[in-house]
Amino acid sequence: MAISQETVEEVLRTANVYDVISDYINLEKAGSNYRALCPFHQEKTPSFMVSPTKNIFKCFGCGKSGSAVNFIMEYEGISFGEAVIKLAEKYNIPVKFTKSDENISKKRDLISVAEKIKKFYKEQLKKSKEAKEYIKKRGLLPGTVDFFDIGFSPFDHSELTAFCEKEGITVQQLKKIGLITVRDDGKIKDKFAGRLIFPIKDHRGRTVAFGGRTLKEQGQPKYINSPETEIYSKGKVLYGFFEARDSLREKKEVVIVEGYIDLISLYQTGIKNVVATLGTAMTHHHGKILSKFVKKAILMFDSDSAGKKAAVRASKILLPFRIDVYYCPLDKGMDPDDIAKKGYREVEAYLRKSKDFLFFLLDRIQEQKDLKKRKDIIDLYLEILSYMPDKHVQGLYIKELSDKTGIPADMFQVERREPAFVEEKEGLNIEDLYYREKMVLKGLLEHKDEILRMFTDFDKITGSSYFLYLLNEILKDGETEELEQLRNIDIPADPESVVYALNQMHKEWIHQQNEIEATLFSSVDDSLIKKIFLNKKSLHTGGKEKK
C-alpha cells in the first residue's frame, strides 16, 4: 500500500522485536537475550535468538534474521505494507497514506463496520432458539461456534436498524458492505435475515464479508454470500485461511473444500489445515497466498462432473506455485461434513486415499475404452502438465503417461503455459528508496539476465525492507507500477555499476551478520555453537561476482 514514509519510520522505531515475536511463539530467557525453537524450520535444539536491546532476531539454523517487520512478513506470509499496518495497529500508530490512496482509510472504516455487524450477529444467535437448535442438530459445539464467530441474523429488521443507530453506522455504509437493500418506504432490509451467519475474514483476520445459510432445508437459495464490495473480493479470500494459518505452516499441507459447514466440521474433528473456496473457482491470488505456507494441496471435492472441473481448475492454479495437487473424490451423495461426523479416523482414511491428480487422470485413461474419450483425457493430462514450471518434473510425468499408454514419450508435446491472471499491486512511493537501491532495481529491470550471470546471492545483501520486497518481486518476474516508474529515473544503471553496488551490500550483510552473532553469541549453548560452526563451513561468502 502507498503508506507514508512518516508512518513507516514511526512503526520501525516503535515496534520491539521481543514484544512482537512473543505474541507468536514462547521465548525462553537466555542471558540478556531470548531463545526458542525456530518457527521457520523444523529443529529439536533451539537456535532462534532474539535480542531486545538490539531489536533483532536471528536463527542460527536457517539463517533468517531481521526486525519485527521482517518477522511479521515471514511468519504471516504478508507483504511489507501489510506488516507495517499490522504493527501500527498493535502500537496504536495512526496509518497515513499518500494522497492517491486516501480511499484506503475509507476501506478501514468499512471493515470496522463489518466487525461491529459481526458482533451484533453473534449476540443475536444467543437470543434465537431456532438458530441454536439448528446448530445443535448440525453437531457444532459451542467452542467451535465461538471460534468461527458464527451468528444469526434476526427476521425482524428493526433489530439491525436499532443497533446501527446506536453505533452510528449509516445506511450508506451498510450498502457499501453489501449487507442491505433499501425499500421504497426508506426502510432497510437485511439480505441475510433469518439465516445462520458465517463471517468471512481476510488473511489478516478482519471481517470483510458474510455468508448465510437458511435454517430450513426448503429455503432457497440455501446459501448466500456478500457481493463484491470495496473491502471484499471473493477471488482474493479463502474462508478459514486465517484460522488455519498456523496449522498450514506446520504441516505444509492444505485440505481444500467448498463450503462453510464442510470446513467447520472438519476443523472440529481435528483437521485444522483446511480452507474453503465457497463455491468460487480458485484464483491466482488463492494460489499465491497458499504457496507461502504449503507444498501440497488435497482437493476434497465432489466426485461428480462439477467436482472434477473444480479439481482441474485448481490444478492449473496451484501447480505453477510448485504446490503438489492431490484429489480426494468423495463417494456419491457424501460431503466432508458427512465424513467428519464419523470421526477423525474416517476423515484421515479418506485423506490417505487421495491421489496425485495427474495419476488420478492416468487411472481414468487406463479405464477408458472409448478412443475419443481416452484422447480427451490424455489431452487434459498434457494441458495440466503444461502448467508445471519444472521441465524435469514434466519429463517424469510424461514417462508415466508413456508407460501407461504404450505411446512413445517423444510423441507427447507439452507447451509451457503461464496462468492467466491480473494482479493488483500495491507499494510505497518509489522516491522513498535510497539512491543505491533505485540503481539496483532499475538495473535489474533493464539488464536482469546479464546481472544474474554476475551476481547470485540476493538473499545475502542489506537494504530497506521495502527495497528487499521489490527486489524479490523482480527476481520472481513480478510487476508493479512502482517498478515501471524506475525506468524513467535518471540514474546510471549499467550492469557493472549495479554489480558493484550489490557486492557492497553483500559486504555490509556479512558485517551485519557478524554483529548479530556477536550480540547473541553469549546466550548460545555448546550444541548450538557446534551447529553454527557447521553452518559457517557451508556458508558461501566472499565476493559474489561469478567467474
Side-chain angles (χ1 to χ4, degrees):
M1 295 180 180
I3 310 166
S4 71
Q5 189 66 14
E6 177 188 348
T7 298
V8 174
E9 289 174 354
E10 186 175 357
V11 166
L12 293 175
R13 235 182 1 252
T14 306
N16 179 272
V17 72
Y18 169 78
D19 187 29
V20 171
I21 294 177
S22 60
D23 285 344
Y24 293 87
I25 60 176
N26 293 322
L27 295 173
E28 173 187 302
K29 185 77 171 172
S32 61
N33 302 312
Y34 293 83
R35 66 186 173 194
L37 292 173
C38 180
F40 305 124
H41 78 286
Q42 295 290 328
E43 62 177 6
K44 295 181 179 179
T45 303
S47 61
F48 183 86
M49 308 298 296
V50 176
S51 172
T53 54
K54 291 288 187 179
N55 210 21
I56 53 174
F57 75 89
K58 178 175 177 66
C59 175
F60 289 98
C62 65
K64 294 189 186 299
S65 63
S67 66
V69 171
N70 298 128
F71 180 86
I72 294 290
M73 289 173 68
E74 191 72 35
Y75 193 93
E76 300 266 5
I78 59 179
S79 70
F80 171 77
E82 289 171 322
V84 168
I85 290 174
K86 190 173 184 71
L87 289 173
E89 291 171 349
K90 174 179 173 64
Y91 290 101
N92 296 315
I93 298 171
V95 179
K96 299 176 182 177
F97 301 94
T98 57
K99 290 182 179 180
S100 61
D101 283 281
E102 288 177 352
N103 65 318
I104 294 176
S105 295
K106 296 177 182 178
K107 289 181 181 179
R108 294 179 71 196
D109 290 340
L110 293 179
I111 289 172
S112 176
V113 169
E115 289 286 351
K116 290 177 181 179
I117 297 297
K118 176 190 74 178
K119 292 175 182 177
F120 165 74
Y121 286 147
K122 283 191 74 173
E123 286 300 312
Q124 292 300 311
L125 177 61
K126 298 174 184 177
K127 303 175 184 178
S128 172
K129 181 180 177 181
E130 187 179 2
K132 287 188 287 188
E133 285 178 352
Y134 177 82
I135 284 173
K136 185 178 180 180
K137 184 178 75 173
R138 295 304 299 254
L140 300 181
L141 301 175
T144 304
V145 171
D146 184 61
F147 182 74
F148 284 97
D149 293 317
I150 296 172
F152 176 70
S153 176
F155 291 97
D156 185 357
H157 303 293
S158 65
E159 295 273 1
L160 177 62
T161 302
F163 173 80
C164 291
E165 287 176 354
K166 179 183 175 183
E167 293 293 326
I169 298 171
T170 67
V171 171
Q172 192 62 24
Q173 286 175 320
L174 293 176
K175 287 175 68 176
K176 283 189 173 183
I177 65 171
L179 197 76
I180 64 165
T181 55
V182 181
R183 295 172 174 169
D184 293 338
D185 59 5
K187 292 182 179 180
I188 66 172
K189 177 184 178 182
D190 184 351
K191 296 177 182 178
F192 296 91
R195 292 176 179 268
L196 202 64
I197 299 297
F198 302 90
I200 299 172
K201 302 172 185 177
D202 65 10
H203 62 290
R204 292 176 56 197
R206 304 175 303 177
T207 302
V208 293
F210 299 94
R213 192 203 191 282
T214 179
L215 301 182
K216 298 176 180 178
E217 293 304 316
Q218 64 270 27
Q220 293 297 329
K222 189 180 292 185
Y223 290 98
I224 61 171
N225 293 328
S226 295
E228 298 255 330
T229 67
E230 293 178 40
I231 60 173
Y232 174 57
S233 173
K234 61 185 179 181
K236 295 183 179 180
V237 176
L238 284 166
Y239 181 71
F241 175 83
F242 177 74
E243 290 82 359
R245 192 175 47 184
D246 289 342
S247 183
L248 297 177
R249 182 183 292 106
E250 178 186 346
K251 293 180 178 294
K252 304 297 181 187
E253 180 180 296
V254 62
V255 178
I256 303 176
V257 296
E258 293 183 296
Y260 315 103
I261 298 292
D262 291 335
L263 180 144
I264 292 169
S265 293
L266 288 175
Y267 197 99
Q268 182 172 273
T269 304
I271 307 299
K272 310 290 187 184
N273 56 322
V274 57
V275 301
T277 59
L278 302 184
T280 301
M282 289 205 73
T283 67
H284 168 78
H285 296 280
H286 294 151
K288 184 175 183 180
I289 194 168
L290 286 174
S291 70
K292 297 177 182 179
F293 293 82
V294 305
K295 299 297 183 183
K296 176 182 177 181
I298 300 176
L299 309 176
M300 210 172 191
F301 296 162
D302 292 339
S303 57
D304 60 10
S305 176
K308 290 186 177 72
K309 286 180 180 178
V312 169
R313 166 70 180 175
S315 297
K316 294 177 181 179
I317 293 295
L318 298 173
L319 286 175
F321 290 100
R322 293 182 171 85
I323 297 175
D324 296 331
V325 179
Y326 281 63
Y327 185 42
C328 181
L330 306 176
D331 294 339
K332 190 174 182 180
M334 295 284 285
D335 57 35
D337 178 44
D338 297 321
I339 300 167
K341 283 181 170 57
K342 296 181 180 181
Y344 178 81
R345 289 185 179 180
E346 184 73 14
V347 177
E348 276 291 293
Y350 258 88
L351 294 177
R352 280 196 298 271
K353 289 190 293 184
S354 64
K355 182 174 266 189
D356 182 314
F357 187 58
L358 285 167
F359 286 170
F360 171 82
L361 291 178
L362 278 180
D363 291 343
R364 304 290 82 74
I365 292 169
Q366 286 186 292
E367 293 169 3
Q368 186 56 248
K369 303 303 179 185
D370 183 287
L371 284 180
K372 184 179 184 306
K373 290 180 179 178
R374 201 172 189 213
K375 174 190 175 297
D376 290 342
I377 302 174
I378 291 174
D379 288 344
L380 177 60
Y381 182 97
L382 294 172
E383 181 186 357
I384 293 173
L385 197 56
S386 71
Y387 287 88
M388 197 170 278
D390 300 309
K391 289 289 185 183
H392 65 286
V393 180
Q394 284 185 357
L396 293 173
Y397 279 96
I398 289 174
K399 184 178 183 303
E400 288 289 334
L401 178 60
S402 177
D403 291 344
K404 298 290 186 183
T405 62
I407 302 172
D410 57 9
M411 297 289 288
F412 298 117
Q413 297 294 322
V414 178
E415 294 181 7
R416 178 74 175 96
R417 294 174 185 253
E418 294 293 341
F421 62 88
V422 177
E423 182 173 5
E424 293 176 14
K425 296 288 185 175
E426 299 169 337
L428 298 174
N429 191 324
I430 209 71
E431 291 305 315
D432 293 329
L433 296 170
Y434 294 109
Y435 180 92
R436 184 173 65 177
E437 294 174 342
K438 295 177 188 175
M439 176 200 294
V440 169
L441 295 177
K442 180 179 179 181
L444 282 168
L445 283 174
E446 297 180 345
H447 311 287
K448 181 178 176 182
D449 291 342
E450 188 172 350
I451 292 170
L452 289 178
R453 287 194 292 270
M454 302 166 70
F455 186 91
T456 57
D457 282 344
F458 290 96
D459 60 333
K460 296 172 185 167
I461 61 175
T462 59
S464 66
S465 296
Y466 185 57
F467 161 72
L468 296 175
Y469 158 68
L470 290 179
L471 178 71
N472 189 50
E473 286 295 305
I474 294 178
L475 295 176
K476 292 190 305 180
D477 295 322
E479 293 182 15
T480 66
E481 292 180 6
E482 287 85 352
L483 296 182
E484 290 306 312
Q485 294 173 26
L486 279 167
R487 296 182 187 274
N488 301 319
I489 294 177
D490 186 18
I491 292 177
D494 57 277
E496 290 74 19
S497 298
V498 171
V499 171
Y500 177 81
L502 286 167
N503 277 316
Q504 293 303 308
M505 291 175 171
H506 176 66
K507 289 177 182 177
E508 290 168 11
W509 179 87
I510 295 173
H511 180 69
Q512 185 183 79
Q513 294 302 302
N514 289 337
E515 284 189 339
I516 291 174
E517 291 180 10
T519 299
L520 300 173
F521 208 76
S522 61
S523 307
V524 173
D525 58 29
D526 290 342
S527 62
L528 183 52
I529 289 174
K530 184 178 179 181
K531 181 190 289 187
I532 293 169
F533 282 115
L534 287 173
N535 285 341
K536 286 284 187 185
K537 286 177 69 176
S538 62
L539 182 64
H540 190 33
T541 56
K544 294 288 95 181
E545 279 191 83
K546 285 189 177 179
K547 302 299 182 185

